Amino acid sequence: MDANYDPQQIEAKWQRRWAELKLFDADADPARRKYYVLEMLPYPSGALHMGHVRNYTLGDALARYMWMKGFNVIHPMGWDAFGLPAENAAIKHGQPPRDWTFSNIEVMRGQLKRLGFTYDWRREIATCTPEYYRWNQWLFLKMYERGLAYRKKSRVNWCPQCETVLANEQVVNGCCWRHEETPVIEKELEQWFLKITEYADRLLEDMKHLVRWPERVLTMQRNWIGKSAGALVQFPVEGCDEPLRVFTTRVDTIFGCTAVFVAPDHPIVEKLIARSKSPHTLRADADRIKASSARARAEVNLEKAGANTGFMARNPFSHELVPVWLANFVVTEYGTGAVMAVPAHDQRDFEFCTTYALPIKTVIVPESKKLKEPEAFVEYGWLVDSGKYSGLGSEDAIQKMTRDAEAQGVGQGTIQYRIKDWGISRQRYWGTPIPMLYCDRCGLVPVPEEDLPVVLPPAVKLTGQGRSPLETVPEFVDASCPRCGGHARRETDTMDTFVDSSWYFYRYTDPQNATAPFSQDAVRYWFPVDQYIGGIEHAILHLIYMRFFTKVMQDIGLVDFSEPVARLFTQGMVLKDGSAMSKSKGNVVDPTEMCEKYGADTVRLYMMFAAPPEKDLDWSDAGIEGAWRFLNRAYRLVAKHQVTLEVLKVGSSGPAPTPQSLNGEERQLLRKAHQVLRHVTEDMEFRWHYNTDIAMCMELANALAESEGAFAAGKICEQVFRAAVELLVISLSPFAPHLADELWEALGHSEPILRVPWPAYDPGLAAEEELELPVQINGKTRAHVRVAVGASEEEIRQLALADEKVMRHLNGKKVVKIIVVPQKLVNIVLGD
RNA sequence: GCGAAGGUGGCGGAACUGGCAGACGCGCCAGACUUAGGAUCUGGUCCCGCAAGGGGUGGGGGUUCGAAUCCCCCCUUUCGCACCA
């Protein structure tokens, strides 16, 4: 064993050996308990960043622990390999997206291997291969068969930078999620959609199974789905044959309705213009307000603005006539695009009506009858001035009035969702071709399953301009109709890459399957994912699509469960100087560089030590130095005593030590070792505050260093010293696996540490026998007394009162009360 | 505006069920070894104070023998949603 720690040499050696031993290959084995550790797969952008390293190190520590606990651990990795950057690189450098992507994968796979993760590389997938994306197409066809994939002309979010459509989830503050400065514009296009709305209720309902998901993620999903129960109510419009339908959750306030507001691009507006006495003014108003509401998407808190249409609508409950106004804050896409204005009980209506001097009529009063001005009273209360409903509570009134509206044919109870169907069409090249054909005679025809995959043509001129690049490839576009044999045109849109990542973790269980997306047996054995780890940024996009896909797969009969992930963990970000690492800020720390300087173990250890995993971690160059020093200390500790310790062959250490057979110094050292093991074990199971586990390992290393004198003097026997060293190596192994294996071998073991069963700590050895109890006077610690663990309350009381420092504080004061909490403390309460 | 999570030394953080605030690491100070040290080792390091002692977990109040931890009010940071009727 070298005197100096050389991580480059050690890590290369162990990575080679692990590979030779196929240590991380996991095969389905019904006789063994399985554990599925999954981390979010990276986009092959060119290089791994520290966020990946943190994510994957977290998973790796868990995977290693689970292996040692005896589980059959599946821990796969792959590449989310379709996407826009590949095309942009192609345009910029003339390198085909495929080449760019695969050369990035090469680099990044190398980086992952350098870090020594426990991946079963036989299961690696890349979503851009036909072998993978044919199953995207297959799943799409299954959805099409069930009416879950459909085409419609719709107003879409279009990013002028990407030159493609964005899903609602990809619009952030009215701008593209990739180009945060670029406002999204609206276009009318024929698009493919997946009917996620049909699953909205199940996505909500099944959250009750996700007890081990962060509440934060569930809340975000709940808000995103945005279920709200209410009523649709019809307001006939005078001088127009079409009534206005409004959606409201507060039909109990309808007697306070003093206007009806419609979105400026509501379909009825054209009809009103046609029938208006001053059509030009009305059109100008509509255009102006439309412009202002479009701006509202990008801006925050735009002022309320509107215009009177001159038309009147009749309240079906009160039969009053109220004016119809255009309003910039009414959202076309939600509900019916029209609302009843109840300024007394809705803050937005209140603001609008105040601005335009529209009447405000109170119809709900709170219990206390006190109304705050000048705000709307938006809570539930009691109805007044509401005809026969006066006197009812809001909740009763909503039910009764909804029923009455239904009976009279002027409305109905309904449920609205904020979530919309998932638009998956992208006018881009580097994605999964949507397997549909447009036959000149038969119309829309799906590609037959046996013709899958529809393969992306390799040579395509990419310009980044205009329409889908696939349209420019005649060999791709021209096809024959599978029904009539006549000429057909291929769909040239490709799928949103979130389709790829919605089911990739199933494919890992059976990555080579050429006849199905996966074998049901494999999934039955490996699923659910026991632990999924990734960034919080995917809380609503990926993590909701993935749940949706599983439910569809359940309905198709591919799987027999409704939720794929039992436990989710969202880790914090890796920052540098308080902000996210980015090329533009020039604050990127490169994992490979760090591995070259310190080795993978140091990088991993530091990542785990610097902060608890759910919190953001600010990278510190000084901090990683500390991790490096610790590993050096651990190495030297073993190197120094290796010759002595190795002589003691494994298993030759005689009977297991018991507290009785040990002297005081031996007990103290072993106690520390077992306390550390206890802490790490318990933390691995529940809490994952790896930073505290590593701190405990450091304490044990410090204790060992302090014991060296006693060891050299023969006061600590070799068996005990060795046992403590071994427990340190084992406890450290999930975090610094290469070093752990090197030290384990140096101690005379031939098995890699991953094959060593995780030891159970000995509660007897871990238990303290004597405690130093704090003695408080009026809640302030003033002294300490040493007591045996089993000391009685009375003994402790006497010891405390006899303490010199305590007596000094007691001087002349009256003892009111003495609280003795065995094993914890003594608190003496003094009077004045 | 609404919702969620935070605020502890010079810094990252620890304190798991109300029971010694500051584990562990970084940094800093002193010393040892050294031609040298950005290596290593030893000791010190919450604040005020020579000390005795006193103060201390964003601020204020409360419950309790005892509060970083529980309750109320306020300030503040980060994240998510943002006219969703």
Side-chain angles (χ1 to χ4, degrees), chain A residues 52 82 85 138 150 414 549 762:
Chain A
H52 292 126
F82 270 138
W138 185 86
Y150 68 97
T414 183
F549 258 60
D762 182 327

Side-chain angles (χ1 to χ4, degrees), chain A residues 737-748:
Chain A
H738 308 85
L739 175 63
D741 253 331
E742 181 71 9
L743 299 182
W744 193 246
E745 186 187 53
L747 289 167

Side-chain angles (χ1 to χ4, degrees), chain A residues 613-675:
Chain A
E614 70 279 6
K615 282 186 63 171
D616 288 350
L617 181 160
D618 207 339
W619 180 271
S620 141
D621 292 330
I624 194 170
E625 285 282 347
W628 163 246
R629 283 203 287 262
F630 168 62
L631 292 185
N632 271 282
R633 276 203 304 278
Y635 182 90
R636 281 196 303 267
L637 181 75
V638 175
K640 198 160 25 156
H641 301 290
Q642 191 227 354
V643 180
T644 324
L645 296 176
E646 200 200 357
V647 180
L648 273 177
K649 282 288 170 253
V650 189
S652 72
S653 45
T658 62
Q660 295 75 36
S661 66
L662 302 168
N663 66 38
E665 270 158 322
E666 290 172 336
R667 265 205 299 279
Q668 201 185 330
L669 180 60
L670 268 192
R671 184 179 306 127
K672 187 79 202 173
H674 279 265
Q675 285 174 349

Side-chain angles (χ1 to χ4, degrees), chain A residues 687-704:
Chain A
R687 222 169 53 128
W688 290 19
H689 280 196
Y690 294 157
N691 53 328
T692 64
D693 301 343
I694 293 165
M696 291 298 274
C697 289
M698 290 171 169
E699 287 188 35
L700 178 52
N702 292 344
L704 277 160

Side-chain angles (χ1 to χ4, degrees), chain A residues 378-392:
Chain A
V378 299
E379 284 150 54
Y380 281 179
W382 303 93
L383 276 70
V384 295
D385 292 334
S386 297
K388 61 175 177 171
Y389 304 101
S390 299
L392 290 176

Side-chain angles (χ1 to χ4, degrees), chain A residues 271-436:
Chain A
K271 291 195 172 185
L272 296 183
I273 289 170
R275 290 164 175 74
S276 174
K277 279 172 229 154
S278 47
H280 298 294
T281 319
L282 187 51
R283 182 172 299 284
D285 285 343
D287 288 347
R288 193 186 71 239
I289 294 159
K290 211 182 291 184
S292 100
S293 69
R295 243 186 311 130
R297 288 171 189 290
E299 282 172 36
V300 183
N301 282 336
L302 196 81
E303 262 183 46
K304 304 228 169 354
N308 194 340
T309 62
F311 287 82
M312 300 294 276
R314 190 168 295 277
N315 183 328
F317 276 81
S318 71
H319 307 295
E320 287 169 348
L321 279 176
V322 293
V324 177
W325 282 67
L326 305 175
N328 66 343
F329 70 92
V330 178
V331 181
T332 319
E333 295 81 21
Y334 185 77
T336 60
V339 301
M340 64 180 204
V342 185
H345 306 295
D346 181 284
Q347 190 57 32
R348 295 153 302 180
D349 297 345
F350 179 85
E351 286 167 27
F352 190 97
C353 290
T354 308
T355 307
Y356 291 99
L358 288 161
I360 296 172
K361 185 186 168 198
T362 297
V363 291
I364 306 285
V365 291
E367 199 90 38
S368 63
K369 300 249 175 195
K370 263 182 236 152
L371 280 175
K372 270 190 279 173
E373 298 289 346
E375 274 183 346
F377 175 68
V378 299
E379 284 150 54
Y380 281 179
W382 303 93
L383 276 70
V384 295
D385 292 334
S386 297
K388 61 175 177 171
Y389 304 101
S390 299
L392 290 176
S394 288
E395 276 171 87
D396 288 346
I398 287 170
Q399 281 200 8
K400 193 159 193 313
M401 292 168 88
T402 304
R403 270 204 308 274
D404 291 354
E406 280 170 8
Q408 288 157 33
V410 296
Q412 73 207 79
T414 183
I415 288 172
Q416 289 288 324
Y417 297 92
R418 207 187 83 110
I419 194 171
K420 296 189 204 92
D421 279 341
W422 175 12
I424 58 157
S425 288
R426 297 291 180 272
Q427 290 67 46
R428 279 286 169 177
Y429 166 72
W430 194 232
T432 305
I434 293 172
M436 297 297 293

